[in-house]
Amino acid sequence: MAKSKAEQTPEESRRVATTDDIEVSTYLEIAKEIGGEQPGASQEAVSGAEREAIIVLDFGSQYSLLIARRVREFQVYCELLPHDTPWEKIAPLNPKGFILSGGPASVYESGAPMAAPYIYESGLPILGICYGMQVITKQLGGEVAPGMKREYGHAILHMNDTKSPLFAGLPDATPVWMSHGDRIESLPPGFTNPAYTENSPYAVISNGKNIFGLQFHPEVVHTAEGKTLLKNFVSRICGCKGNWTMGNFVNNSIDRIKEQVGGGKVINALSGGVDSSVVATLIHQAIGDQLTCIFVNNGLLRRDEAERTLAVFKDHMGMNIIYVNATDRFLTRLKGVTDPERKRKIIGEEFIKVFEEEANKIGKVDFLAQGTLYPDVIESISSVSKASAKIKSHHNVGGLPARMTLSLLEPLRHLFKDEVRQVGLKLGLTEDMVWRQPFPGPGLAIRIIGEVTREKLEILRAADWIFMNEIKKAKLYRQLWQSFAVLTDVKSVGVMGDYRTYGYLVAIRAVTSDDAMTADWARLPYDLLARVSNRIVNEVAAVNRVVYDITSKPPSTIEWE
Ligand code: XMP
């Protein structure tokens, strides 16, 4: 039986999920091996005397990153770090408080991960969530035991102590989301339970000063007042002012890039995607012409894409851009290729070759700029990560020659995607540009089933253009994670006027998703579907039938190949 995606090892996995461009990311990963910055605590994310941070110590919960994301919403800088991160790495961030995340372990088992002593010795506020709360209980002298049954789902939290600063602005009873097996048997000395649920007498614990534990998950949306609880901890208990704004970020980043690059030269692979656009614009504002962007047109872009990208970055912003129309090279290499993974490999290889050739023409370059985001950094810390999958699936494609000893410049590596969008807007990019749907690096090649030819590319571009145009007119573009057309290799009989036709079947696909790991097919209005179908068969001569893809991911993937 075929393995599910989740069971596949990175080597076996055909697909690599990335948001913008796989080729560019691959390039980054290979460069990273040559000696780029390694993931870990940032020392410079927020600069100056104003620097303040909340540190989430990760005990392995699936929600850990979400906690960091939530704290950032309060304009407080937050980093997720492994639970055993040494104090020397944390101190420079000027921590104002710690959050101990949930995790899959049980504190009473031998070898269960614990919090480092400095966390308690620092005197800083601590919030333990689920496993994190049990860690606090165990380490401060209480007792945790296996629960009789797992508690999972909604519970109602009732307050014993409505005056606790953690509960400011909260009603006396509120729904919370539980997910735990172990339970607290006895509290550490000096602790009380300011709130409880029916099944968890110690749903909230506190030492009455600045140490708190929550048995439930405040970071998930099912905990109605979760944001208020976290905000109370961050603002009222840790005293954070909330100076992590994207305006400050832009100013600090510009200073830092100037300092880091000095008189050096930077190259960047521009794709027109959100991350590469923001990174290019930010670096350009910092160092102007010391940045050269290389924009490779692989011939697999959507209609007008190359022209639009050039118009914005070259003509409007005046960036130094090397535009390479490598369509012929890519299409020659794709001739006769039908296997999706072969297509991906060829496109990845060719991209790197073109990029290297162009970079070598520039002369000595010092930095490779890259739009790595915070979730990528976090992922690359874990052993089976997307990043390692990327490296592995592209390892044999060459990579950076050793003579190009580039350092990485990754100014967005501490940001979440929505923060990147805000930075883009601050830098003057348009709403259209910062809200672009993801587009796969191999482009239309994986939306043409079977061999990629010029003729098919033109047919797909025309159909895709109509679909996107109608989606935008219906003001649905932003609500959809992705919407696009696929040119199948099916031909079917039709009738137009007095003639029978024999034309291509085009599929249209629109999905909603948060992260591309799962996706649901979008319930587009019938009228919109009818308009799109009519227009495609009327305006694209080679197409006589349109179908709408109504499968979700899983079991399907978003792309057809
Ligand atoms: P699937 O089709 O696996 O896609 O559900 C998940 C997300 O990843 C994008 N995707 C790719 N992006 N190179 C990319 O840069 C690729 O080879 C690739 N394959 C899929 C896809 O568009 C969706 O956003």
Side-chain angles (χ1 to χ4, degrees), residues 437-501:
Q437 294 175 355
F439 182 68
L444 301 183
I446 55 165
R447 292 179 180 171
I448 291 175
I449 311 304
E451 189 186 1
V452 179
T453 63
R454 281 173 207 270
E455 182 217 0
K456 287 185 185 169
L457 279 165
E458 279 318 309
I459 297 170
L460 180 56
R461 279 191 185 113
D464 190 71
W465 180 263
I466 292 169
F467 185 36
M468 292 313 268
N469 186 258
E470 291 295 335
I471 288 283
K472 285 182 179 166
K473 275 204 300 204
K475 302 214 179 323
L476 290 173
Y477 182 80
R478 260 208 220 176
Q479 291 170 41
L480 299 172
W481 172 265
Q482 275 171 298
S483 45
F484 55 88
V486 174
L487 183 61
T488 73
D489 57 356
V490 172
K491 280 191 152 184
S492 70
V493 176
V495 54
M496 274 181 113
D498 296 334
Y499 297 96
R500 287 174 80 78
T501 59

Side-chain angles (χ1 to χ4, degrees), residues 330-456:
F330 279 86
L331 294 191
T332 304
R333 286 212 54 201
L334 286 169
K335 215 171 230 151
V337 179
T338 53
D339 175 63
E341 191 56 4
R342 279 285 305 145
K343 289 181 185 173
R344 281 190 171 78
K345 265 219 143 80
I346 290 171
I347 295 163
E349 268 173 31
E350 206 54 31
F351 177 88
I352 290 177
K353 275 195 209 147
V354 176
F355 190 86
E356 272 174 8
E357 284 169 20
E358 294 304 322
N360 283 334
K361 289 184 198 158
I362 303 173
K364 183 171 162 19
V365 175
D366 309 280
F367 294 90
L368 173 67
Q370 180 61 44
T372 316
L373 306 193
Y374 195 50
D376 307 329
V377 173
I378 296 297
E379 281 230 20
S380 65
I381 298 172
S382 84
S383 54
V384 183
S385 65
K386 280 195 223 166
S388 60
K390 271 183 248 160
I391 296 172
K392 283 180 182 138
S393 78
H394 287 264
H395 224 184
N396 50 358
V397 300
L400 290 172
R403 65 181 178 278
M404 281 175 75
T405 45
L406 299 175
S407 301
L408 286 179
L409 189 60
E410 302 176 294
L412 310 181
R413 73 196 314 275
H414 299 291
L415 301 190
F416 287 97
K417 187 88 179 185
D418 49 338
E419 292 175 322
V420 171
R421 292 202 167 97
Q422 290 174 46
V423 168
L425 292 174
K426 288 266 176 260
L427 291 167
L429 294 177
T430 59
E431 293 262 341
D432 266 7
M433 297 194 61
V434 304
W435 281 103
R436 309 201 70 181
Q437 294 175 355
F439 182 68
L444 301 183
I446 55 165
R447 292 179 180 171
I448 291 175
I449 311 304
E451 189 186 1
V452 179
T453 63
R454 281 173 207 270
E455 182 217 0
K456 287 185 185 169

Side-chain angles (χ1 to χ4, degrees), residues 112-131:
M114 290 290 138
Y118 68 77
I119 291 165
Y120 303 104
E121 289 159 8
S122 69
L124 292 170
I126 306 171
L127 177 70
I129 295 176
C130 210
Y131 180 80

Side-chain angles (χ1 to χ4, degrees), residues 5 15-16 18 20 22 344 440-442 482 553 557-559:
K5 268 196 172 181
R15 306 290 210 84
V16 181
T18 63
D20 287 307
I22 182 106
R344 281 190 171 78
Q482 275 171 298
K553 172 182 179 176
T557 46
I558 296 176
E559 303 291 345

